[in-house]
Amino acid sequence: MICALLLAALLLFSLVKLEQKIRPVARAMAEYACREQAVRWMQTAVADCLQNAPELLEDLYTLQYDEAGQVQSVVGDTARLTLLQYTLESDLTRSMGEGKADFAIPLGTLLGLQLFSGRGPDIAVKVIPLSHIESRVETGFVSAGVNQTKLQTDLVFSVQLCAVLAGMQVETTAESGICVAQLLIVGDTPQFYLEGADSSG
């Protein structure tokens, strides 16, 4: 009887020590996986939305030319850019509310041991948003070769998340910058303006 109790106590002690050892590793792995999964989900959701509603990308810019026919300035349509931003932000929020950002991690991966990585039963991970999805528009010029410039517009999405798995909660922030529009311009780099705003070079 005493031997059985000692064995049970030893087993319990070993399990507690094992949990203490792997819990930080599992937390770090879960945080990384949650962030990476959320970024992939954002990119996929945005691509699907734009594929279903390509009209969102129409008439974002107006080109203005000089007397020689060269592009002198590019005017961004603030209303169209705001509509694009709001639509994608709302679509991502709805998608997350439907649980489309949830995923699973193999138990072996959570243990942080290379030998067991990708193995074992899947541990379901519920992704819960802790904040509204925030976004911002970033537009700028980048070189695209000899005498060519590319105007690129990115939407940067950010959201605070809580991943719930196996009685553990892990908080993290996922951010993804997604290119939504590109415009190739031949000639010197033009000025860029937003309607109703001051110029930005």
Side-chain angles (χ1 to χ4, degrees), residues 42-140:
M42 287 181 185
Q43 294 170 341
T44 300
V46 168
D48 290 344
C49 179
L50 293 179
Q51 184 176 12
N52 294 328
E55 65 276 6
L56 289 172
L57 299 178
E58 296 176 358
D59 303 321
L60 294 179
Y61 311 111
T62 300
L63 302 182
Q64 297 180 341
Y65 299 87
D66 60 18
E67 295 178 354
Q70 296 294 313
V71 177
Q72 187 176 39
S73 62
V74 181
V75 180
D77 189 320
T78 303
R80 296 289 302 173
L81 287 169
T82 301
L83 175 62
L84 173 65
Q85 180 182 4
Y86 174 79
T87 302
L88 292 176
E89 195 174 297
S90 299
D91 190 74
L92 287 173
T93 299
R94 183 176 60 255
S95 177
M96 177 169 285
E98 294 172 352
K100 294 182 179 179
D102 297 347
F103 63 105
I105 307 177
L107 178 60
T109 299
L110 277 179
L111 294 177
L113 301 176
Q114 187 65 34
L115 179 63
F116 300 107
S117 181
R119 301 181 179 181
D122 286 340
I123 304 298
V125 181
K126 176 69 177 177
V127 179
I128 301 173
L130 297 178
S131 67
H132 293 294
I133 294 177
E134 298 179 351
S135 64
R136 65 182 185 274
V137 179
E138 295 184 351
T139 301

